[in-house]
């Protein structure tokens, strides 16, 4: 099993990648345009123009930036607080990414590569944070084997 | 003596092993409890987000007396595109996509949500064709004041903002939500500057002839439901029919009449 330090470092790197992707979408929206699809096509524009691109008036990419920042802070936080916060935010982010991907595939009928990239990053963050939580939660309090209980 | 010491060591080791096993079992139980709690919390947060996302543009907004939603989204969608009364887009475009729609119609709303944003950004915004929305109020008595209110907004250059915002705040068909207060909220959010002029305009009979002509034009094309579409250009006229027509079909029709 990888060390908790390695898991926290991986989570931090993934969170920074997520911030980059979500910030690009948010900046493109704020400047009045849409994120550019790398292979051409109108998927990103279609998704950005859909009504689902905003949640209660806030662009979902802005909410995404907030979520990734929270994941970065959780990766930096030691102990159970960091483990729990990381898993909770990753679970919410993953659940919402699944919903957004469903909307892209079956409602909006268009795929935005940047949204897919963000969903992949969030999925990896869920794996890493679940690993950290279930591999290390509660270990700080346990006495080492051989020590009196 | 030595065997007694060895036995004590063995018993101690066994006790430590048991304690370690108990601690591991307690830790597993606690992790399962915490994991379940986190999972439940995450599910609740995601469900709330989905409910907000789904209801954000429904009738719960201005239709229920609340605030008009998506005003900035509509404003952004139409930003920089010229409007000439009921026509959106480049006045020099040779092709016109004409929609016969009713503001109370849920299928028109679906078109407005699912196809119109791309039609506007990818076709109208690029000058390939312009887009006319003709008021064809057939669903009930409330459709007529809604249509006149939109046309009155058009007299101040805000027709398309009004139409798109109406769809984003649409209520249940013929449920009585199309009140003066609702229409005024939409007009204000659409950016109609002179509300008192808009009020007198929308109540005047000057739109009756236009509505009547639209109705006879639609009937001549064989339309009896909304939204219905026809594309006109130098190469002729292409009747697309009714429903949520896909953008690809509209683009093909534009090519065929260019």
């Amino acid at each position: 099993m990888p060390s908790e330090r390695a898991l926290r470092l991986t989570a931090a790197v993934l969170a920074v990648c997520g911030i980059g992707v979500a910030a690009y979408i948010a900046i493109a929206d704020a400047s009045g345009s849409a994120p550019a699809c790398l292979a051409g096509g109108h998927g990103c524009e279609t998704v950005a123009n859909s009504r689902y691109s905003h949640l209660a008036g806030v662009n979902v990419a802005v909410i995404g930036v907030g979520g990734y920042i929270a994941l970065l802070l959780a990766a930096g936080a030691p102990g159970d607080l960091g483990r729990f916060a990381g898993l909770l935010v990753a679970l919410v982010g993953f659940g919402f990414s699944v919903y957004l991907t469903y909307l892209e595939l079956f409602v909006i009928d268009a795929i935005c590569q940047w949204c897919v990239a963000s969903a992949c990053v969030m999925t990896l963050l869920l794996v890493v944070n679940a690993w950290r939580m279930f591999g290390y939660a509660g270990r700080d309090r346990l006495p080492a084997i051989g020590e009196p209980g | 003596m030595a065997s007694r010491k060895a036995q004590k060591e063995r018993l101690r080791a066994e006790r430590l092993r048991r304690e370690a096993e108990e601690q591991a079992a307690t830790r597993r139980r606690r992790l399962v409890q915490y994991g379940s709690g986190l999972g439940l919390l995450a599910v609740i947060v995601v469900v709330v987000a989905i409910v907000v996302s789904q209801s954000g543009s429904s009738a719960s907004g201005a239709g229920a007396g609340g605030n008009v939603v998506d005003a900035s989204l509509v404003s952004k969608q139409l930003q920089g595109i010229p409007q000439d009364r009921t026509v959106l887009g480049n006045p020099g475009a040779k092709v016109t996509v004409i929609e016969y729609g009713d503001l109370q119609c849920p299928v028109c709303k679906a078109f407005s949500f699912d196809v119109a944003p791309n039609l506007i950004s990818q076709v109208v915004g690029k000058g390939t064709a312009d887009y006319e929305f003709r008021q064809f109020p057939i669903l009930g008595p409330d459709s007529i004041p809604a249509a006149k209110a939109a046309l009155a907004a058009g007299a101040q250059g805000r027709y398309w903002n009004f139409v798109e915002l109406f769809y984003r705040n649409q209520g249940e068909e013929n449920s009585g939500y199309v009140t003066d207060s609702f229409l005024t909220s939409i007009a204000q959010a659409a950016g109609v500057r002179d509300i008192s002029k808009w009020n007198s305009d929308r109540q005047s009979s000057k739109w009756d002839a236009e509505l009547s002509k639209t109705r006879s034009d639609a009937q001549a094309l064989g339309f009896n439901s909304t939204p219905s579409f026809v594309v006109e250009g130098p190469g002729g006229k292409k009747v697309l029919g009714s429903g949520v027509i896909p953008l690809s079909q509209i683009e093909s029709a534009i090519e065929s009449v260019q």
Side-chain angles (χ1 to χ4, degrees):
Chain A
M1 187 161 83
S3 69
E4 188 179 19
R5 191 170 177 278
L7 289 172
R8 285 173 64 187
L9 194 64
T10 309
V13 170
L14 286 169
V16 169
C17 294
I19 290 171
V21 171
Y24 169 66
I25 302 173
I27 290 166
D29 177 75
S31 64
S33 59
C37 273
L38 297 180
H42 299 298
C44 298
E45 203 172 353
T46 303
V47 174
N49 283 331
S50 81
R51 71 174 178 126
Y52 301 104
S53 64
H54 287 70
L55 181 67
V58 181
N59 190 306
V60 289
V62 174
I63 298 170
V65 171
Y68 285 118
I69 289 174
L71 284 163
L72 185 60
L73 292 175
D80 278 351
L81 177 69
R83 295 172 192 134
F84 279 75
L87 184 58
L88 177 62
V89 178
L91 272 171
V92 172
F94 175 75
F96 202 62
S97 294
V98 168
Y99 168 66
L100 293 175
T101 306
Y102 159 79
L103 288 176
E104 284 182 68
L105 290 173
F106 301 107
V107 179
I108 306 169
D109 207 17
I111 284 286
C112 170
Q113 295 157 359
W114 295 99
C115 309
V116 172
S118 174
C120 291
V121 170
M122 194 55 89
T123 305
L124 291 173
L125 274 163
L126 176 65
V127 171
V128 172
N129 278 291
W131 206 335
R132 183 184 172 198
M133 164 79 183
F134 293 109
Y136 294 95
R139 291 255 166 120
D140 306 326
R141 290 194 301 273
L142 290 179
I145 298 296
E147 269 182 25
Chain B
M1 192 73 180
S3 71
R4 207 172 152 190
K5 194 180 173 191
Q7 194 180 1
K8 269 179 91 177
E9 284 293 321
R10 192 174 53 79
L11 286 171
R12 183 169 178 272
E14 205 168 299
R15 181 174 58 82
L16 288 173
R17 188 181 56 77
R18 264 204 316 274
E19 280 176 2
E21 279 174 3
E22 278 169 17
Q23 280 177 351
T26 308
R27 182 172 173 274
R28 272 196 301 274
R29 269 200 307 276
R30 208 172 282 162
L31 281 180
V32 168
Q33 285 169 354
Y34 290 156
S36 310
L38 284 178
L40 187 67
L41 197 59
V43 166
I44 291 169
V45 173
V46 172
V47 166
V48 168
I50 291 172
V51 168
V52 171
S53 162
Q54 290 290 338
S55 64
S57 302
S58 73
S60 60
N67 293 324
V68 173
V69 299
D70 285 346
S72 61
L73 199 69
V74 167
S75 172
K76 204 182 105 190
Q77 183 180 319
L78 300 172
Q79 197 174 20
I81 305 177
Q83 292 187 41
D84 180 14
R85 290 202 61 251
T86 57
V87 181
L88 179 74
N90 174 15
K94 289 176 182 163
V95 178
T96 303
V97 177
I98 303 168
E99 174 178 354
Y100 288 82
D102 183 319
L103 292 175
Q104 280 210 97
C105 154
V107 185
C108 304
K109 173 183 172 176
F111 182 86
S112 162
F113 275 44
D114 298 338
V115 182
N118 299 319
L119 176 61
I120 292 169
S121 65
Q122 293 164 29
V123 177
V124 179
K126 290 179 180 162
T128 312
D130 53 24
Y131 182 13
E132 180 173 4
F133 185 102
R134 292 186 184 169
Q135 296 290 337
F136 186 30
I138 55 171
L139 291 181
D142 286 350
S143 298
I144 294 168
K148 288 183 173 181
L151 291 166
Q156 296 187 43
R158 309 303 286 181
Y159 178 81
W160 274 89
N161 300 67
F162 189 98
V163 167
E164 290 300 317
L165 260 186
F166 194 109
Y167 282 134
R168 286 177 183 274
N169 292 273
Q170 193 189 62
E172 198 181 329
E173 195 178 315
N174 292 321
S175 63
Y177 73 96
V178 186
T179 59
D180 283 350
S181 147
F182 173 81
L183 292 171
T184 307
S185 301
I186 299 292
Q188 283 169 335
V192 173
R193 288 199 181 157
D194 190 342
I195 290 292
S196 63
K197 179 181 182 304
W198 168 80
N199 249 324
S200 62
D201 275 356
R202 74 185 172 96
Q203 284 161 16
S204 87
S205 58
K206 65 181 175 183
W207 311 113
D208 293 350
E210 182 170 342
L211 291 176
S212 171
K213 183 178 183 310
T214 299
R215 184 179 290 267
S216 57
D217 286 349
Q219 281 164 351
L221 289 163
F223 296 155
N224 52 20
S225 64
T226 53
S228 295
F229 296 87
V230 59
V231 178
E232 290 179 1
K237 186 187 285 187
K238 177 95 179 165
V239 178
L240 294 175
S242 305
V244 182
I245 306 286
L247 182 60
S248 55
Q249 205 177 322
I250 296 172
E251 286 176 322
S252 302
I254 291 170
E255 272 179 32
S256 70
V257 301
Q258 268 175 340

